[in-house]
Every structure is written in structure tokens, then in C-alpha cells.
């Protein structure tokens, strides 16, 4: 490449970055868009280099610099109630502390440690950008509508992906099982978003008895379940049923009305039967997975022994927790702080690989769920840190809800929390940008409304 082309590219790059600095709300929109339309999707379907998926982190760095400049130039100021910010900062600070401690006794590369912490940096920047630059609506109804619309967007994408594999002989996978992922790079993100959405729509129906959009809420729930059916996720049915039961039982407790209890109980049975029937006839029976409804198979699937000689498969999800506990229990230090942040990660961008990451072997698959990954990389202190983080948000949500009678602030968070916890034992949920976006959006949403109440009082 000659010097003229280099100069031209440099000038254009500087111009674009300068423009983005002047338009932080636009950058925030781009960051949100890149979380919803995960660029890792292209690397999965079109063999584009995985590096393209790092674009959200580039945007988050720009926004972080812009936020610092705006703060020190007094364009933005610290909110009156900084408790939500403290919750996130304390959560990240503890993770950094654990990572630094583990560097002293592990052979872990500092580059992979920093790289692994990128998810939590993105969470912080998303929260601050949404709160200060207000690119998203902050009303209760619009919060739910925004997430539901994102869920509806997944329908055409999953339909195209399903058709590509099933009918057009696209050999990116032997079957669409756990493969159709919508606008995301993996089906975990899709399952999370759809579970949150069906929970929020059912919640809105029970509390407001009014359509979230222009169509009947129960029909809307059916539409939101289409991507889950097309993804053929075997665990999605169970997740949806847990969400349904959690929302109905919670609202029964809130209402404390016997007639409402009877109606809710009947609704819970109906939704459970309808969900089971949809998944059974459109997925299990069609693809020959009927035997997977057997309790023995489920136990074997989650707790399959991993002590074979060949180690030619990843360990089961439940087994990964047991192996993680065995690995960190070798010493008191590793039990408290883990074996090191990023030990089971890799990055092609930096060319660094975690020292314990294995494609095949006794530790292969240890990072496949968030619990085992957190336990082995951050130890018991890391697991407790996650627990405290979600508990503090719960307390914050309850505080905000006290100021608004009949509000859904706490109920919305419970739906999000249950969805996170379900996937916490199923996949590395914090690796999905949409999960970080939803959590950051909720914290900013509740924080903004708390600030609005304080303005009215004072």
C-alpha cells in the first residue's frame, strides 16, 4: 500500500472518529445496534474473520473517552443518587482485584486477563451511555415494547437460517438443532432475549390487561416463541415454562386474590400444555428426539461422566461444575481466587490463549456454562461477587418501585434475573452482548426514573 492510500485512509479514519466524538448519542445507537445485530453472526454464516465481532468494544472505548471528556468539562455531572453506578463499579473492581491477585501465582498472560474483562467494561459503558445520552425510551411501557420489538425482529432471521439448513442444503450444520440464532452469533443470546420477552408480555397482560403492541398479548407470546421453535433449542421449552410459572406465581402473590389465583392457575396449566405441545410436535417428534424427554436421559445429558481415556467430547454441563470445584480445591488460594481470569479463553486478535483451555482433554468444555467458568476463573469470591451484584440490583429495583405505586420496576427485573439465572447454568451468558445490553438498559432505566422522582420531590 502506497503512502497516498495510507494518508487517505488515515484522514478518513480521523474524520469519522472526530464526527463520532461530536455525536455521542449516535455512537451509542451504533453500539446498541452492534449488540443486537451481533457482527459475530457474519463470521458464523459467511466465514468472515471473527475480528469483526470486536467492533462493539472499539465503540465502547470511544464512548468511554467521550464520557470522561464530558464529565471533566462539566457537560455531564454525577447523578444525585449514585448507588446504581456504585453497584457496577464495585462489581467490576472486585473482578479486577481477583484477576490481579491470580496473576501472582498463575502463569496467565496479562493480555488475556484484560481481554477477558472486556465484557464488564462493555456493561459499564452501555449503562453510562444509555443513562447520560438517552438513546432509548425510559418509560415503563416503552421499555417493554423496545425489548419485545427486538424479539420480533428475530423471527425472519431464524426462519431464513432454518430454511437454509433444512431446505437449501447449506452445510454449516448437520441440522438446525441449536443453530438458528437470529441476529446473534449463538443461540444462547436468542434464548435469553425471547425468554425475557415472553415473560414481560405475560407480566404486562396480568398487571395491565392491555396489549403491549396492537395485537393480543397471548398471540404475541406465540410469535415470540417462533424463534425458539426454529432454533430447536432442547432446553428452551423448560426455560419458557419456568418463566411462565415464575411470572404467574409472582403476580398471584402480589394480587393476593383468590379469584385471580384460580384464573392464574388455569392459565399456568394452559400455557404449560400449549408450550409442551408446540415443542413436542414441531421439534421433538419431528426430529426424532422424543427419547430426550426421559428423566434418565436428562440426568445423563447434564451429568455424563468425563473420565474416559479418549476425552473425545466436551464434558456435560453439570459435570463441568463438579470438575471446576475439583480443580480449584487444589489449594486455598485457588479456591478463593480461582486459577486466573481468562484461563479458559482465547483471542485470535491478540494471538493469546488461556493456559487451561482445551479442545479435547480432561478440561475440554469446562468453560461451557457461566457457573463453572466463573468458579474456575474467579473462585468462590467471584461467584459471591456475581450473587451480590444481582442482589444489589434487586434491592435498587425494590427501592425505585416504592416510589411508584403499581409500577412494574421490580417485576421487570425479576423476569430478567430469572432469565439470566436459567442460562447461568446453561451457557457463558455474560459473553453475549445482548445480555449486557438488557442488564445495562434496565439499570439505566430504573436509575433515570429514580432521578425523575427525586426531581419532583425536591
Amino acid at each position: 500500500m502506497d503512502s497516498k492510500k495510507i494518508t487517505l485512509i488515515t484522514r478518513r479514519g480521523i474524520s469519522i472518529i472526530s464526527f463520532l466524538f461530536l455525536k455521542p448519542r449516535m455512537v451509542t445507537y451504533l453500539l446498541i445496534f452492534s449488540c443486537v445485530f451481533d457482527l459475530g453472526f457474519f463470521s458464523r454464516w459467511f466465514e468472515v474473520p471473527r475480528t469483526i465481532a470486536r467492533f462493539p468494544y472499539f465503540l465502547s472505548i470511544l464512548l468511554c473517552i467521550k464520557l470522561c471528556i464530558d464529565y471533566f468539562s462539566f457537560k455531564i455531572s454525577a447523578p444525585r443518587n449514585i448507588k446504581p453506578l456504585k453497584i457496577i463499579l464495585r462489581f467490576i473492581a472486585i473482578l479486577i482485584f481477583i484477576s490481579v491477585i491470580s496473576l501472582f501465582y498463575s502463569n496467565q498472560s496479562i493480555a488475556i486477563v484484560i481481554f477477558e474483562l472486556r465484557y464488564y467494561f462493555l456493561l459499564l459503558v452501555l449503562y453510562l451511555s444509555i443513562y447520560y445520552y438517552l438513546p432509548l425510551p425510559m418509560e415503563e411501557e416503552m421499555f417493554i415494547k423496545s425489548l419485545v420489538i427486538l424479539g420480533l425482529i428475530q423471527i425472519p432471521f431464524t426462519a431464513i437460517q432454518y430454511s437454509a439448513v433444512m431446505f437449501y442444503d447449506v452445510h454449516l450444520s448437520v441440522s438446525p438443532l441449536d443453530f438458528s440464532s437470529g441476529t446473534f452469533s449463538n443461540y444462547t443470546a436468542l434464548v435469553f432475549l425471547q425468554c425475557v420477552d415472553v415473560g414481560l408480555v405475560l407480566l404486562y397482560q396480568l398487571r395491565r390487561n392491555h396489549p403491549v403492541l396492537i395485537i393480543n398479548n397471548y398471540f404475541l407470546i406465540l410469535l415470540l416463541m417462533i424463534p425458539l421453535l426454529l432454533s430447536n433449542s432442547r432446553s428452551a421449552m423448560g426455560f419458557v415454562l419456568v418463566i411462565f410459572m415464575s411470572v404467574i406465581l409472582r403476580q398471584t402473590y402480589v394480587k393476593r386474590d383468590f379469584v385471580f389465583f384460580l384464573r392464574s392457575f388455569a392459565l399456568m396449566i394452559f400455557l404449560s400444555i400449549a408450550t409442551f405441545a408446540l415443542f413436542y410436535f414441531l421439534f421433538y417428534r419431528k426430529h426424532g428426539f422424543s427419547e430426550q424427554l426421559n428423566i434418565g436421559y436428562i440426568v445423563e445429558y447434564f451429568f455424563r461422566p468425563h473420565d474416559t481415556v479418549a476425552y473425545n467430547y466436551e464434558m456435560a454441563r453439570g459435570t463441568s461444575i463438579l470438575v471446576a470445584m475439583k480443580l480449584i480445591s487444589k489449594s486455598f488460594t485457588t479456591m478463593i481466587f480461582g486459577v486466573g481470569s481468562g484461563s479458559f479463553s482465547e483471542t485470535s486478535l491478540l494471538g493469546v490463549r488461556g493456559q487451561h483451555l482445551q479442545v479435547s482433554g480432561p478440561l475440554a468444555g469446562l468453560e461451557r456454562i457461566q457457573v463453572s467458568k466463573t468458579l474456575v476463573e474467579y473462585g468462590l469470591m467471584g461467584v459471591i461477587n456475581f450473587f451480590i451484584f444481582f442482589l444489589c440490583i434487586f434491592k435498587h429495583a425494590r427501592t425505585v418501585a416504592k416510589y411508584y405505586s403499581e409500577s412494574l420496576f421490580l417485576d421487570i427485573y425479576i423476569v430478567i434475573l430469572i432469565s439470566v439465572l436459567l442460562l447461568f447454568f446453561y451457557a457463558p451468558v455474560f459473553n453475549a452482548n445482548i445480555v449486557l445490553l438488557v442488564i445495562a438498559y434496565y439499570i439505566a432505566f430504573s436509575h433515570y426514573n429514580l432521578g425523575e422522582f427525586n426531581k419532583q420531590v425536591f
Side-chain angles (χ1 to χ4, degrees):
M1 185 180 294
D2 57 38
S3 58
K4 290 184 178 180
K5 288 185 178 180
I6 294 175
T7 303
L8 180 62
I9 293 174
T10 303
R11 287 178 177 176
R12 288 181 177 177
I14 293 173
S15 299
I16 293 173
I17 292 174
S18 301
F19 174 75
L20 292 176
F21 262 107
L22 296 174
K23 302 290 183 180
R25 181 176 292 188
M26 180 173 291
V27 184
T28 308
Y29 276 124
L30 283 175
L31 180 57
I32 293 170
F33 182 86
S34 64
C35 288
V36 176
F37 292 85
D38 190 339
L39 297 179
F41 163 89
F42 292 100
S43 63
R44 186 179 194 190
W45 282 85
F46 302 106
E47 298 183 356
V48 175
R50 179 65 186 171
T51 307
I52 192 175
R54 314 302 181 208
F55 183 64
Y57 305 107
F58 166 74
L59 292 176
S60 62
I61 291 173
L62 284 181
L63 277 171
C64 182
I65 296 173
K66 178 60 176 174
L67 284 163
C68 291
I69 293 174
D70 286 351
Y71 178 77
F72 288 109
S73 61
F74 303 103
K75 290 183 179 180
I76 60 176
S77 58
R80 180 175 299 176
N81 188 326
I82 63 172
K83 185 177 180 179
L85 179 59
K86 284 183 177 179
I87 293 173
I88 296 182
L89 288 179
R90 182 173 59 238
F91 171 66
I92 297 175
I94 293 175
L95 291 179
I96 294 174
F97 172 75
I98 297 172
S99 301
V100 172
I101 292 296
S102 64
L103 280 174
F104 288 104
Y105 60 83
S106 69
N107 296 320
Q108 198 63 27
S109 166
I110 190 172
I112 196 70
V113 171
I114 295 173
F115 188 77
E116 182 64 22
L117 292 170
R118 70 192 185 280
Y119 302 114
Y120 312 106
F121 171 71
L122 179 59
L123 173 66
L124 175 63
V125 173
L126 277 168
Y127 155 68
L128 290 174
S129 301
I130 293 172
Y131 179 78
Y132 281 111
Y133 300 132
L134 295 177
L136 297 174
M138 292 296 176
E139 298 80 15
E140 180 181 272
E141 182 179 350
M142 291 305 298
F143 177 89
I144 296 175
K145 283 184 178 180
S146 299
L147 295 183
V148 169
I149 290 172
L150 295 184
L152 293 175
I153 289 173
Q154 306 308 313
I155 296 176
F157 285 90
T158 50
I160 292 171
Q161 292 162 358
Y162 182 91
S163 301
V165 174
M166 291 295 293
F167 307 119
Y168 295 100
D169 200 32
V170 176
H171 295 292
L172 293 177
S173 176
V174 294
S175 79
L177 177 64
D178 296 346
F179 189 71
S180 299
S181 56
T183 61
F184 310 111
S185 60
N186 60 72
Y187 73 96
T188 300
L190 175 70
V191 172
F192 169 79
L193 179 62
Q194 303 309 113
C195 283
V196 169
D197 284 344
V198 296
L200 292 180
V201 173
L202 180 59
L203 166 65
Y204 199 79
Q205 171 64 29
L206 294 177
R207 287 289 292 274
R208 298 289 186 258
N209 195 26
H210 186 271
V212 174
L213 300 176
I214 59 175
I215 60 177
N216 179 274
N217 283 331
Y218 294 113
F219 181 67
L220 180 58
I221 289 174
L222 179 62
L223 290 178
L224 291 168
M225 288 175 61
I226 290 176
L228 296 180
L229 294 169
L230 295 177
S231 74
N232 281 346
S233 173
R234 288 167 290 184
S235 301
M237 179 184 71
F239 293 162
V240 170
L241 290 177
V242 172
I243 291 293
F244 283 156
M245 288 187 289
S246 301
V247 172
I248 292 172
L249 291 175
R250 161 68 182 169
Q251 295 314 307
T252 302
Y253 171 78
V254 171
K255 294 285 187 178
R256 299 183 184 181
D257 181 87
F258 185 71
V259 176
F260 183 83
F261 167 76
L262 292 177
R263 291 172 54 191
S264 299
F265 184 75
L267 177 62
M268 184 166 58
I269 294 176
F270 170 75
L271 289 176
S272 299
I273 294 174
T275 303
F276 181 84
L278 281 172
F279 276 84
Y280 180 77
F281 290 107
L282 297 180
F283 170 42
Y284 286 100
R285 196 173 70 170
K286 181 177 180 180
H287 294 284
F289 293 118
S290 298
E291 72 279 1
Q292 295 183 7
L293 297 176
N294 183 279
I295 298 297
Y297 174 87
I298 295 174
V299 174
E300 171 68 16
Y301 177 77
F302 281 97
F303 292 97
R304 181 179 62 241
H306 194 65
D307 54 0
T308 62
V309 177
Y311 293 112
N312 55 0
Y313 53 81
E314 288 187 330
M315 68 180 70
R317 288 180 168 87
T319 305
S320 68
I321 300 176
L322 302 178
V323 174
M325 293 177 65
K326 183 178 179 180
L327 183 60
I328 66 171
S329 62
K330 291 181 178 180
S331 72
F332 176 78
T333 305
T334 54
M335 181 171 288
I336 300 300
F337 300 109
V339 299
S341 176
S343 296
F344 291 85
S345 303
E346 66 176 333
T347 167
S348 56
L349 180 64
L350 302 177
V352 183
R353 181 186 179 91
Q355 60 178 336
H356 295 296
L357 181 64
Q358 296 179 356
V359 177
S360 61
L363 300 180
L366 190 57
E367 75 288 353
R368 68 183 304 193
I369 66 173
Q370 190 68 50
V371 173
S372 60
K373 181 178 173 64
T374 302
L375 186 62
V376 77
E377 292 192 349
Y378 297 105
L380 293 177
M381 189 174 181
V383 174
I384 294 172
N385 186 37
F386 272 87
F387 174 77
I388 293 175
F389 173 66
F390 287 116
L391 179 62
C392 289
I393 300 176
F394 177 83
K395 290 182 177 180
H396 169 66
R398 189 169 58 181
T399 299
V400 178
K402 289 180 180 178
Y403 294 121
Y404 295 89
S405 59
E406 294 298 316
S407 71
L408 302 179
F409 287 105
L410 182 59
D411 301 272
I412 290 172
Y413 177 67
I414 290 175
V415 171
I416 296 172
L417 178 62
I418 292 174
S419 301
V420 171
L421 291 179
L422 286 172
L423 286 167
F424 218 77
F425 292 87
Y426 187 74
V429 64
F430 267 71
N431 290 18
N433 291 344
I434 188 64
V435 177
L436 304 176
L437 173 61
V438 171
I439 295 175
Y441 184 17
Y442 176 80
I443 299 174
F445 155 70
S446 58
H447 192 183
Y448 176 82
N449 282 276
L450 179 60
E452 289 298 301
F453 178 83
N454 289 335
K455 288 180 181 178
Q456 295 173 12
V457 173
F458 297 102

